[in-house]
Amino acid sequence: MAYRLGVDVGGTFTDLLLFDDANGRFWRNKTPSTPHDQSEGVLAGVQAICAQATIEPAAIDLFLHGTTVATNAVLEGKGARVGLVVTEGYRQMMQIARSLVPGGLAGWIIWPKPEPMARLEDTVQVKGRLDASGAEVRPLDDADIRAQLTVLKGQGIEALTISLINAYVDGRHERRVAEIAAEVLPGVPVSLSHVVLPEMQEYERTLTTVANAAVRPVVGRYVRNLRTKLRDLGMKGRISLLRSDGGLMSSEAAEAQPVSLLMSGPAGGVTGALWVARNAGLKNILTLDVGGTSTDVALIENSEPRLVRTTDVGHLTVRVSALDVKTVGAGGGSIAKIPELTKALRVGPESAGAVPGPACYGRGGTQATVTDANVVLGYLPENLLGGSFKLDREAARAAVQRTADALGVDLYEAARGIIDIVNENMFGALRMISVQQGYDPRDFALMGFGGAGPLHVNAVAKLMGSWPAVSPVSPGVLCALGDATTRTRSETARSFSRVISRSTEAEVLEVLKLMRDQVRDSLVADGEDAATLELRFEADLRYAGQAFEVPVPVTLAEFEQPGGLAALAETFHAAHKRLFTFSMDTDTELVNLRAIALGKAPELPALALPQGDGNPAAARLRDHQMWVDGSFRPAVIYDRAKLRAGDRIPGPAVVCEMDSTTVILADAAGTVDAHGNILINPV
């Protein structure tokens, strides 16, 4: 039998989902995360879930892992000390940066400019230069290179970045510096800009490569440590990590290019939602991943999640493909507060976290949170996790009552206000990735997951007009499901930087074929079968003079005959009009070309539920009371594990399971599909 294990490390819990490839059976486990060394929590979870499934770790063929190690290293400033080698005259490149300052008008007055990841004292410049076509203007001086690298050695750097001007055209100068660095700085990992990001714009190329170097020692130690421990357990299968773009990369590739892991965590939820949507027969999905502190949202159109060309982590913006995930500070632990200045209720972005947590957790929290409001209104039953975790309803009432007193309203009005505001915050994030990108949310279903997503998905779907509202099976471990059900991916890009009217199809085709061979060979080296690979291509275009590009999908066939570039320009005009409501009659510039190779999609069967008669009575746990339109109304609590396919659950109702709780409002009803997903629609 073949098994695959998805592992997603969160701030509080490490989620695991073990899949039996043969019949679709799965086991799930949540174990406390160990921030000081994530591998400890992962190993504990692996042993627990293997015991649960009565298998040995050796039976696991694929270990698929989403991790926040790289993200945390950036956010906490715990990356390695990076030495930077640049071309003579470019030493201040990281300090000059770009003129963009976050915030509104005059935001620069209060904005503390972050310290570059490669400090000025750790930056050296070397003689030698290539021009924009790759021709050598000035040769390198080996003695000069050795002298500059010796300076960095004395600084005690832990990682090295080499980023020379125009290296994206030809990397031979960078490779020579790297050869000398191997002698002068033995054991120091080296990142080359023409390998990490072979694109024009030296600042973005350098910043991305510096970020890669900064997290490389941290990620490398973690991956090697985890791999060693898994092998010691007897696991012989392939170990892969989830990339920011939702694909998988081998653990060895992750050690060399960890900048691709910066959004590994949120990507798991999107890839899991994609798998659920396919089984539910849905192609257009908005995702609502609600945790304790934040909500992540994304858009999937025609079974393809939207990608962006930049990844943002804190103040850092690097040029690496990532799923287009937007995050707002709205979660179950978001704190309700009343600012002295406005006296108006606000919810988040501050969170009670795991400790002390919401007041209802009984760990000393006293401030009202979204979770407390859900308890007060009857949306969240007092007994969770099968009765093993009991919420303190009176503590929740006391916390929300303090908010109510400060507002001068009654308890339930205050609780309802907290829920309405956090739902509006989620609504705002969803509008950012739908309406503001030219999509009509009424053409999409809304899928809620994470610990608190199914609590809010029905209410937010009403605001969006997005139906059905979907509560997937095991929503609390959906990120781990995403890790287990995605496929390997390799990507590369090249700058082309030419106006279409002065280009030929043959030139574009030549570059695309070179990149195709590169990404294909990369996955074959990781063990994929070349015959099963899917190859995709993209082009970044802009109007001549613009400062940003719009990515457009392309195929090799388009450039095998005349007229391909003209058709590409028309596709770009249409995409620009959808995004910005206008197009222009001016020269179009082809800036970058990109090739993507995808491994074979796993053909995992989705476990089918026994067919029911439409009556969920067998799953009924007890009668309940829920706050509806100004008063408490009778409701029913159901056990999700006992629901059958075809069961129809009229609202108001609460559906409980091990890792989450689903709320169905009074003017809606949920239907259980063949695979156990609850599809909620208005009645």
Side-chain angles (χ1 to χ4, degrees):
M1 297 179 75
Y3 294 90
R4 64 178 57 222
L5 177 62
V7 181
D8 183 78
V9 179
T12 306
F13 287 104
T14 294
D15 300 330
L16 300 97
L17 190 137
L18 180 67
F19 237 97
D20 184 338
D21 286 6
N23 54 30
R25 285 192 308 160
F26 63 87
W27 296 263
R28 55 192 175 180
N29 186 271
K30 292 176 88 75
T31 189
S33 294
T34 50
H36 64 280
D37 180 359
Q38 289 188 6
S39 65
E40 290 183 13
V42 171
L43 265 290
V46 169
Q47 291 170 308
I49 204 165
C50 285
Q52 199 176 325
T54 62
I55 65 167
E56 292 297 321
I60 298 172
D61 295 306
L62 291 170
F63 179 91
L64 311 158
H65 182 25
T67 177
T68 56
V69 169
T71 315
N72 293 344
V74 172
L75 291 175
E76 297 169 10
K78 294 182 178 177
R81 183 170 183 174
V82 179
L84 173 60
V85 179
V86 298
T87 301
E88 192 172 43
Y90 287 84
R91 186 165 178 252
Q92 288 82 16
M93 187 195 314
M94 294 290 286
Q95 284 68 34
I96 295 171
R98 292 288 181 196
S99 60
L100 179 66
V101 171
L105 186 65
W108 57 271
I109 295 174
I110 60 170
W111 181 58
K113 186 177 179 180
E115 182 72 23
M117 299 183 79
R119 293 181 288 189
L120 188 60
E121 59 266 35
D122 293 335
T123 304
V124 298
Q125 46 193 354
V126 296
K127 299 169 184 175
R129 180 171 180 145
L130 303 177
D131 67 15
S133 64
E136 189 172 75
V137 176
R138 184 181 182 188
L140 291 171
D141 181 334
D142 285 6
D144 171 59
I145 294 170
R146 290 180 190 280
Q148 299 301 332
L149 292 175
T150 302
V151 171
L152 293 180
K153 184 176 183 179
Q155 295 280 76
I157 64 162
E158 301 165 305
L160 180 67
T161 290
I162 303 170
S163 183
L164 305 181
I165 194 70
N166 295 324
Y168 68 91
V169 180
D170 189 318
R172 65 183 187 273
H173 275 191
E174 288 192 349
R175 288 192 293 271
R176 178 55 187 155
V177 177
E179 289 171 3
I180 298 173
E183 302 170 14
V184 178
L185 296 162
V188 174
V190 179
S191 297
L192 306 179
S193 77
H194 78 276
V195 174
V196 174
L197 186 68
E199 295 182 15
M200 59 188 289
Q201 297 183 319
E202 63 273 10
Y203 172 67
E204 283 76 11
R205 178 162 49 88
T206 302
L207 178 62
T208 301
T209 312
V210 166
N212 188 77
V215 299
R216 194 169 168 181
V218 178
V219 173
R221 281 193 299 271
Y222 170 72
V223 171
R224 288 190 296 273
N225 185 29
L226 178 63
R227 189 165 53 224
T228 300
K229 290 180 178 179
L230 290 173
R231 299 301 184 216
D232 290 345
L233 281 181
M235 188 184 296
K236 300 180 178 64
R238 188 193 303 179
I239 300 170
S240 298
L241 279 78
L242 189 69
R243 296 161 49 109
S244 301
D245 55 22
L248 292 168
M249 64 196 307
S250 68
S251 61
E252 291 79 11
E255 288 184 62
Q257 199 152 333
V259 73
S260 297
L261 303 176
L262 285 175
M263 292 294 284
S264 176
V270 179
T271 54
L274 187 58
W275 189 80
V276 170
R278 286 178 183 142
N279 292 324
L282 300 168
K283 290 189 174 181
N284 293 345
I285 290 281
L286 296 170
T287 69
L288 184 72
D289 181 358
V290 186
T293 301
S294 62
T295 293
D296 298 326
V297 299
L299 181 144
I300 298 170
E301 181 187 29
N302 291 326
S303 299
E304 288 291 337
R306 272 180 56 87
L307 288 167
V308 290
R309 287 290 294 126
T310 56
T311 299
D312 297 310
V313 178
H315 289 300
L316 178 68
T317 300
V318 294
R319 190 170 288 181
V320 178
S321 288
L323 294 176
D324 188 7
V325 178
K326 296 289 188 290
T327 303
V328 292
S334 293
I335 295 170
K337 58 186 181 298
I338 305 162
E340 190 65 34
L341 184 62
T342 63
K343 298 293 185 182
L345 180 62
R346 300 285 298 273
V347 180
E350 294 85 358
S351 173
V355 179
C360 60
Y361 282 11
R363 295 173 181 162
T366 58
Q367 293 178 289
T369 66
V370 172
T371 299
D372 295 315
N374 276 314
V375 171
V376 168
L377 296 174
Y379 301 155
L380 194 58
E382 295 166 42
N383 293 309
L384 298 180
L385 303 179
S388 63
F389 188 74
K390 186 174 176 62
L391 298 175
D392 188 339
R393 183 179 177 84
E394 290 309 311
R397 287 173 60 92
V400 177
Q401 185 65 58
R402 282 190 287 274
T403 301
D405 293 342
L407 289 170
V409 299
D410 71 31
L411 172 69
Y412 301 108
E413 190 176 349
R416 187 64 249 180
I418 292 170
I419 299 301
D420 286 344
I421 289 172
V422 80
N423 287 343
E424 287 287 345
N425 291 343
M426 297 174 191
F427 175 47
L430 286 162
R431 283 181 59 86
M432 287 170 61
I433 52 103
S434 58
V435 176
Q436 292 182 23
Q437 299 286 348
Y439 295 96
D440 187 339
R442 294 171 295 186
D443 297 333
F444 293 77
L446 180 66
M447 186 179 297
F449 53 92
L455 269 172
H456 296 268
V457 68
N458 191 169
V460 178
K462 284 179 66 176
L463 295 173
M464 295 290 294
S466 301
W467 302 105
V470 184
S471 173
V473 175
S474 300
V477 295
L478 195 75
C479 289
L481 173 67
D483 299 338
T485 56
T486 191
R487 51 182 171 163
T488 54
R489 179 184 175 106
S490 179
E491 177 181 315
T492 191
R494 296 276 179 90
S495 284
F496 192 77
S497 192
R498 213 171 301 168
V499 174
I500 279 182
S501 60
R502 298 177 201 155
S503 308
T504 67
E505 282 80 7
E507 290 172 322
V508 176
L509 187 62
E510 181 184 4
V511 176
L512 289 177
K513 285 182 175 179
L514 283 171
M515 294 192 298
R516 174 199 62 189
D517 295 343
Q518 183 179 340
V519 294
R520 183 177 57 198
D521 293 348
S522 172
L523 288 193
V524 169
D526 283 343
E528 291 288 344
D529 181 357
T532 64
L533 296 181
E534 179 185 345
L535 296 162
R536 298 178 185 175
F537 304 92
E538 290 179 353
D540 293 338
L541 296 102
R542 66 186 179 192
Y543 291 117
Q546 275 186 323
F548 59 90
E549 300 84 40
V550 175
V552 174
V554 297
T555 63
L556 291 180
E558 293 176 46
F559 304 103
E560 291 174 346
Q561 55 193 4
L565 285 172
L568 176 60
E570 289 303 315
T571 303
F572 164 69
H573 292 320
H576 195 281
K577 189 167 186 177
R578 178 178 59 78
L579 285 169
F580 306 110
T581 73
F582 72 94
S583 59
M584 298 169 62
D585 184 16
T586 187
D587 281 340
T588 301
E589 184 182 0
L590 178 49
V591 182
N592 300 310
L593 293 168
R594 194 171 302 107
I596 301 127
L598 296 163
K600 185 180 179 182
E603 297 176 1
L604 300 175
L607 197 62
L609 287 188
Q611 185 63 41
D613 59 4
N615 185 349
R620 185 184 185 113
L621 282 176
R622 63 182 183 276
D623 291 334
H624 188 57
Q625 293 284 314
M626 278 176 60
W627 185 261
V628 178
D629 296 331
S631 64
F632 278 102
R633 283 178 48 181
V636 179
I637 296 179
Y638 295 94
D639 180 356
R640 187 161 189 170
K642 296 179 181 177
L643 290 172
R644 296 293 177 260
D647 284 356
R648 184 178 183 277
I649 308 165
V654 177
V655 182
C656 295
E657 57 188 306
M658 184 274 282
D659 55 352
S660 191
T661 300
T662 303
V663 167
I664 302 172
L665 300 178
D667 54 357
T671 303
V672 182
D673 74 4
H675 303 295
N677 305 302
I678 301 175
L679 309 181
I680 305 170
N681 282 290
V683 294

